[in-house]
Amino acid sequence: GPRLGDIVIEMKGVSKAYGDRLLFENLELSFPPGSIIGIIGPNGSGKTTLLRLITGQEKPDSGSIRLGDTVQLEYVDQSRDTLDADKNVWEEISGGEEQIDLAGRKRSSRAYVASFNFLGADQQKKVGVLSGCERNRVHLAKVLRQAANVILLDEPTNDLDVNTLRALEDALENFAGCAVIVSHDRWFLDRICTHILAFEGESQVRW
């Protein structure tokens, strides 16, 4: 995507609760350009909720969230529910186009799909019969086609094979934008992250 400006994502005094359960309170954060931010913590502590606040799918109870003027955001959620079970892998990723635009350059869509380890006949598999790893790769390929400079990844390593995991690491390390990654895989995060945001329970969040 386009080059990021100085402001990526800023949160000021952000609080969020569900009923009597306070997830976080008066959160003050500023994500630096070019950073890879790992978000860790127990289930139910507010990690995915934070991503949904950033995308605008949910609203904070108080405070403000600002995206920089140059930010182009893409979100890979962990449900993968946006995939069409009736399409084959190539159709779902390419939209049926033989040539696709990647950051202003034309590329063979079949070569792009193959770069996510869908080779030959695998590109004709119906999405509805794919394994968890394959669905994850389709979702990543579909989202990463877009010219984003900020990507939010919710549990991207779930079900991934070793080769795809290594490829994802390499891609993130070479990514010129900002990435925000929710994961329980500390080995993965320790290898690539520049910052960690830790949800420690009892509405405590540490940068």
Side-chain angles (χ1 to χ4, degrees):
R3 183 179 177 85
L4 279 172
D6 293 334
I7 296 173
V8 181
I9 300 168
E10 284 189 345
M11 301 184 187
K12 294 185 177 179
V14 171
S15 301
K16 184 66 177 178
Y18 289 113
D20 296 333
R21 186 162 61 94
L22 180 65
L23 295 179
F24 39 82
E25 188 174 25
N26 293 324
L27 203 56
E28 301 275 339
L29 291 173
S30 179
F31 294 175
S35 57
I36 300 177
I37 299 156
I39 302 181
I40 62 172
N43 289 334
S45 58
K47 305 184 300 297
T48 296
T49 298
L50 185 72
L51 299 189
R52 291 175 64 84
L53 289 171
I54 292 171
T55 61
Q57 292 172 273
E58 296 195 30
K59 301 297 182 187
D61 297 333
S62 61
S64 63
I65 300 172
R66 177 189 176 193
L67 303 185
D69 294 337
T70 60
V71 167
Q72 293 193 18
L73 194 67
E74 286 293 338
Y75 177 32
V76 179
D77 67 31
Q78 59 179 307
S79 68
R80 329 289 186 225
D81 287 340
T82 57
L83 300 180
D84 187 337
D86 294 326
K87 289 183 177 177
N88 65 39
V89 167
W90 174 75
E91 289 170 332
E92 181 66 6
I93 295 172
S94 70
E97 301 172 18
E98 291 292 341
Q99 296 284 318
I100 57 175
D101 190 290
L102 292 176
R105 291 176 297 183
K106 290 292 184 182
R107 185 176 177 188
S108 162
S109 62
R110 295 191 183 277
Y112 176 73
V113 174
S115 71
F116 286 82
N117 207 25
F118 290 107
L119 307 174
D122 285 347
Q123 296 194 8
Q124 303 308 312
K125 279 185 178 179
K126 293 290 187 182
V127 170
V129 303
L130 299 180
S131 68
C133 174
E134 289 169 327
R135 286 181 66 84
N136 199 348
R137 283 189 275 132
V138 169
H139 200 189
L140 284 169
K142 188 176 177 182
V143 169
L144 298 179
R145 266 193 66 187
Q146 312 307 315
N149 51 22
V150 178
I151 52 177
L152 310 180
L153 303 172
D154 197 353
E155 298 288 359
T157 63
N158 280 2
D159 303 314
L160 285 189
D161 58 85
V162 172
N163 289 337
T164 308
L165 189 58
R166 291 281 168 82
L168 180 61
E169 284 180 20
D170 291 343
L172 286 167
E173 287 175 343
N174 291 310
F175 183 52
C178 177
V180 183
I181 306 163
V182 171
S183 181
H184 291 287
D185 187 341
R186 285 301 303 271
W187 185 83
F188 174 75
L189 295 180
D190 286 346
R191 283 175 59 86
I192 63 168
C193 287
T194 59
H195 302 76
I196 293 287
L197 186 63
F199 284 70
E200 300 188 332
E202 298 183 356
S203 65
Q204 299 299 309
V205 183
R206 291 181 58 198
W207 176 250

